Amino acid sequence: MKIIAGNWKMNGSRDALSNMITALRDVDTENTIILCVPYTMLGVESDRVHMGAQDVSAHDHGAFTGEISANMISDTGAKYVIVGHSERRAYHNETNDIVRQKATMALSNGLTPIICVGETMDEKQAGKTMEIIESGVRESVPTDATGNIIIAYEPRWAIGAGLTPTDTEIATAHKLIADTLTSMGLGGTPVLYGASVKGSNAAQIMSIPNVDGVLVGGASLKPDDFIPIITSVK
Ligand code: PGA
């Protein structure tokens, strides 16, 4: 059983979500399906699909115009929230430290944070991939986390680019993340792969050791693209 999570980013509509949920109703799978959608689309009930947000405030409540707290996300019935996505790190200057604060907020409000880590092209070319991944995990995961977290390895240079690392690169990164989590007392934490996952590569990627599922951007927007990813593995 794998975890198949979609990240709609700033796309979609409430109608599109309702169509997706209807389309997923009859899909024969035991995989866990999560859809992380814009805040305005949360509040939808489905016994098939778990809902998630894409970001959360690092603050509990108060004068933070425009921000959404973990408690508010939880109040919609959502169970998950992505934190530290590459686009938040790139466009909103989110550091591992901020990501850890957000993940802590999520955990203390009963949400499972999907904590993203991964290297940029510059970091990859400088030979820093392993260092960035390991520090990403050590510094972004709350020190008192006892479980109920998911890690997503997303090589930032590959997101939305139609590029994927080699199987060996994915295996090496996921082994490092699994070992790092074990050394932090969090062995067994699910680790997803994300970046340019599609129906044609999903099964192969999820056959790599320590890949417990996928986080899918573009190919999660339409049932015709998303369902083949869900059904590509048992
Ligand atoms: P992509 O995005 O599947 O469109 O590459 C993945 C992500 O950003 O989570």
Side-chain angles (χ1 to χ4, degrees), residues 7 9 85 87 154 158-161 194-197 215-219:
N7 171 15
K9 310 193 179 187
H85 187 272
E87 287 142 24
E154 297 210 307
I159 293 176
S196 299
V197 174
L215 178 55
V216 186

Side-chain angles (χ1 to χ4, degrees), residues 43-55:
V44 172
E45 304 250 328
S46 164
D47 46 16
R48 196 63 195 282
V49 183
H50 302 277
M51 300 305 299
Q54 302 170 6
D55 182 35

Side-chain angles (χ1 to χ4, degrees), residues 127-198:
K128 291 188 172 162
T129 298
M130 294 295 117
E131 186 186 315
I132 293 294
I133 293 173
E134 183 170 351
S135 60
V137 173
R138 289 199 185 280
E139 294 168 16
S140 304
V141 172
T143 40
D144 55 354
T146 52
N148 201 30
I149 62 166
I150 295 175
I151 302 295
Y153 168 55
E154 297 210 307
R156 295 172 59 178
W157 50 272
I159 293 176
L163 301 169
T164 43
T166 64
D167 287 2
T168 309
E169 285 172 325
I170 296 175
T172 307
H174 278 252
K175 169 96 172 60
L176 172 65
I177 293 170
D179 289 349
T180 304
L181 288 163
T182 299
S183 77
M184 295 167 75
L186 292 167
T189 294
V191 184
L192 313 184
Y193 169 81
S196 299
V197 174
K198 42 189 191 278

